[in-house]
Every structure is written in structure tokens, then in C-alpha cells.
Amino acid sequence: MSSEPPTPPTSLSTDLIKTLNESTPDYLRDVATYAEALSEYKEREARLEEEADQKKVEKRPDDLPDDVPAKATITIKEINDNRYYYWQWREGDRVKSKYKRPVNPDE
């Protein structure tokens, strides 16, 4: 083992590094055990969420055009006192829309 202390990752805050450097070996082991368990939990949750999102994407509506992503939702826009359905989805920071059809007044 080296006689030098380990170099902390640059992603850790100065306050956290200071707290860890002032901690006992037992406390550090507890932190490491907790951090590992928390990391595994968060990775599992992210994986489950991704799988759920994938299942939602697989259920593509029959009337969804090929150039509209499965994650799109239907919104109603009013233009000149007329109402229209639009597919709407997010691409990065932008919201995209594509015309679907007029809203039937009987709906």
C-alpha cells in the first residue's frame, strides 16, 4: 500500500472530501457499504424505468404516422376558433408537433 492518501475523484464536493478525510475507518466502511447499496438500487430503478418506457414505446397506436415517435401524445390546438388534434413530442429542448385531424364537434 502507498504511504500517500488516495486522490479523491474530482466529481466529489470539497465538503464531502473534508468530511470523509476526518472520518474513522469504521465510518468510512459504513459509507462505502451504503454507497454501494444505493448505487445498485439506483441502477436497478433506472433499468426498470427504462424497461417500462420501452414497453410503452412498443405499444404504438395504429394511426401513428411513421415519422412520429411512439412517445408522442395527442394535444388539441385552437386556431381561428377551430380545434385540431396534433401529435406532440419532445426532441431535446424542443417540442415538435404534427397535424393529425380536426376535432369532431360531437366528441
Side-chain angles (χ1 to χ4, degrees):
M1 283 189 83
S2 173
S3 62
E4 296 293 319
T7 304
T10 57
S11 59
L12 298 182
S13 71
T14 305
D15 290 340
L16 179 57
I17 293 168
K18 182 178 181 216
T19 299
L20 293 174
N21 283 334
E22 295 171 352
S23 299
T24 66
D26 286 340
Y27 181 81
L28 291 171
R29 283 188 193 90
D30 289 344
V31 169
T33 301
Y34 172 71
E36 185 64 30
L38 183 60
S39 174
E40 289 173 5
Y41 168 79
K42 288 189 172 202
E43 288 170 348
R44 184 174 51 252
E45 289 296 306
R47 207 171 37 252
L48 291 173
E49 187 175 316
E50 186 176 310
E51 289 171 8
D53 287 346
Q54 188 62 32
K55 286 179 184 175
K56 288 179 191 173
V57 169
E58 290 170 2
K59 296 177 184 174
R60 193 171 172 87
D62 293 335
D63 61 342
L64 186 65
D66 290 338
D67 59 342
V68 174
K71 65 182 179 181
T73 58
I74 297 174
T75 59
I76 297 175
K77 293 185 180 184
E78 189 166 327
I79 302 170
N80 297 330
D81 295 326
N82 296 307
R83 296 174 58 192
Y84 302 94
Y85 287 116
Y86 279 82
W87 293 104
Q88 200 167 57
W89 66 98
R90 183 171 289 282
E91 284 184 10
D93 292 339
R94 300 191 61 199
V95 174
K96 300 278 192 155
S97 296
K98 180 170 180 158
Y99 173 79
K100 182 177 179 183
R101 65 179 169 83
V103 173
N104 184 339
D106 297 333
E107 290 180 2

